[in-house]
Amino acid sequence: MSGADWRAINAATAFLAAVGILLALAFSRPWGERLPGWLVALPVWVGTGLLVPMLLLAPVLGPAAMNRDQEAGSPEFWFYEQILVMVSLVGIGIGLPVALAGYARARWPEALGGPLVCGEPVGGSRQLQTLLARVIAIGCVLLACVKGFWAAGGTVGLNADELDRRDLWWHMLSASASLWAFAGAWGILVLVSQRGTRRFLPPMAATWVSSGMLFSYAIYNLLTLTDMQKPSPELPIAGGLARDASAVLGVMMGITLLLVLHDRRRAVKGQG
């Protein structure tokens, strides 16, 4: 606990906590609606991408993480601290999207409600969106298949000497990444093609969470390169490719979603 990695992760945690406090104030005070959009959207995008998928896994992964750390020889007090951490993560994972929904309804109502099809603005970027969405969907499906294969017990791309590192935590995170990659591929294709559902919110929410998840978990996986996280069972080149592809796909999906929202806002204002 005296190493630089330990101090760095605590400094990062304190910084993220400060960001969370500032976001809570921005969501609840009038001046919050005057902030630049990216200053609010970027940390919320990363936060929801990191925490919303974790909500489905927390009842299993919470106890699994505690048992794993105890087996690794962590101090006894760390068990109680982990309970507080899991409670806070679940609370923020629920509260952050709810607060975002209220904030977006006041500032960007077109991003939450209404039909999927709302017209095409003059000079829109539909062709670019279509190209990006197809590339993203192909990449997401490939990534989802790889992650799903590993989660199901496949060993291609894994280090034969490190297979015992495939604990419950690793299997569930791999399965979660696979499911959210599939969800992102569906969401971005529906948004761009404007076919597959009548309402805008379901594919928009799937795309938002999936893109944030792919990016934030790729950054989280960088911890496996330090002493703060167990080494991953993937071969370095396989793990690096999966991690980098996840980050790139998440950013590309987020940019495409912004293009969709930009055109949608122009179309809604034109109708008004």
Side-chain angles (χ1 to χ4, degrees):
M1 300 172 94
S2 61
D5 290 339
W6 176 261
R7 294 195 296 272
I9 201 68
N10 276 280
T13 302
F15 171 76
L16 292 175
V19 172
I21 293 170
L22 292 175
L23 280 175
L25 293 173
F27 285 154
S28 58
R29 304 300 301 169
W31 54 261
E33 295 187 24
R34 298 192 296 271
L35 292 174
W38 67 267
L39 195 59
V40 177
L42 182 59
V44 176
W45 176 64
V46 174
T48 51
L50 189 65
L51 296 176
V52 170
M54 188 61 68
L55 289 177
L56 304 177
L57 306 178
V60 177
L61 287 189
M66 296 175 189
N67 291 333
R68 185 179 65 176
D69 286 351
Q70 282 185 320
E71 293 173 357
S74 297
E76 182 178 353
F77 75 85
W78 180 238
F79 173 82
Y80 302 101
E81 185 172 350
Q82 280 189 311
I83 294 177
L84 297 178
V85 170
M86 292 304 300
V87 170
S88 67
L89 289 178
V90 171
I92 298 171
I94 295 173
L96 189 58
V98 172
L100 174 62
Y103 182 87
R105 186 176 296 278
R107 188 169 181 178
W108 305 299
E110 67 281 352
L112 290 182
L116 178 64
V117 181
C118 64
E120 187 74 20
V122 177
S125 57
R126 181 70 58 189
Q127 290 184 341
L128 176 59
Q129 294 172 27
T130 301
L131 174 62
L132 290 174
R134 290 173 179 173
V135 173
I136 292 166
I138 292 172
C140 283
V141 169
L142 291 175
L143 179 63
C145 290
V146 171
K147 288 289 189 177
F149 174 74
W150 286 341
T155 59
V156 177
L158 302 183
N159 189 339
D161 298 328
E162 303 290 345
L163 295 182
D164 58 337
R165 296 189 183 278
R166 297 180 301 168
D167 54 10
L168 179 63
W169 178 277
W170 182 85
H171 277 285
M172 292 196 69
L173 286 182
S174 297
S176 177
S178 177
L179 292 175
W180 282 106
F182 276 126
W186 170 80
I188 199 65
L189 288 175
V190 170
L191 289 177
V192 171
S193 67
Q194 297 188 344
R195 293 195 300 265
T197 183
R198 294 182 178 181
R199 308 302 298 176
F200 179 75
L201 182 58
M204 185 271 178
T207 303
W208 175 274
V209 175
S210 175
S211 60
M213 184 269 182
L214 292 174
F215 175 78
S216 61
Y217 276 77
I219 302 303
Y220 172 79
N221 283 337
L222 290 175
L223 291 177
T224 58
L225 304 178
T226 72
D227 293 335
M228 291 303 300
Q229 189 78 341
K230 287 177 58 177
S232 177
E234 297 97 343
L235 290 169
I237 187 170
L241 285 173
R243 181 177 60 247
D244 294 346
S246 179
V248 171
L249 288 169
V251 172
M252 288 179 63
M253 194 185 301
I255 291 173
T256 307
L257 177 59
L258 289 178
L259 293 175
V260 171
L261 292 172
H262 177 71
D263 283 0
R264 181 177 177 84
R265 188 172 197 181
R266 289 179 58 208
V268 170
K269 286 186 175 181
Q271 292 175 0

